[in-house]
Amino acid sequence: QELQDTNSKKDVMEQKITELTSSVQEQQVQIEKLDAEKTDLETRLETAETSLGDTEEELETTRANMSSGIESLEEKLKESETENTQVKQENTLVKQELQDTNTKN
């Protein structure tokens, strides 16, 4: 009887060992899947960060170009305003001379 009990316990233990081994194998497969997903996400994150870095550089370059362009346009505007003022003054002088000439005639 004792031998049968021992054999029965042995069978139960072997069954549990088989179940636990199977569970460990399933968990290992799941770990490998999760590790692959993690690696994929890390790669995608690196790609996104690189793309963001490139975009930020492009933005800074665009900002610098626009700033330079604005400064250039402001300078041209000042020059045009100065020229416009000079032309108005000359126009006023010519009108005055014309009036003087008309008055003399």
Side-chain angles (χ1 to χ4, degrees), residues 24-102:
V24 166
Q25 288 172 341
E26 289 173 12
Q27 288 176 353
Q28 186 61 38
V29 167
Q30 191 64 25
I31 287 169
E32 289 171 6
K33 285 180 184 178
L34 290 172
D35 192 46
E37 285 181 37
K38 176 186 166 205
T39 300
D40 179 55
L41 288 173
E42 287 172 341
T43 300
R44 289 169 49 193
L45 177 60
E46 285 177 23
T47 301
E49 287 173 340
T50 299
S51 178
L52 177 60
D54 292 347
T55 301
E56 287 173 341
E57 284 180 26
E58 289 173 18
L59 178 59
E60 286 304 314
T61 300
T62 301
R63 278 187 183 146
N65 289 342
M66 292 179 107
S67 179
S68 175
I70 288 170
E71 287 175 13
S72 176
L73 288 173
E74 286 174 342
E75 191 62 37
K76 287 178 182 178
L77 178 61
K78 285 179 186 176
E79 290 172 7
S80 292
E81 287 172 345
T82 301
E83 287 177 22
N84 192 20
T85 300
Q86 289 172 348
V87 167
K88 283 181 180 179
Q89 288 172 348
E90 289 174 14
N91 194 16
T92 301
L93 289 173
V94 169
K95 282 181 180 179
Q96 187 62 45
E97 285 179 22
L98 184 60
Q99 280 181 354
D100 289 349
T101 303
N102 284 338

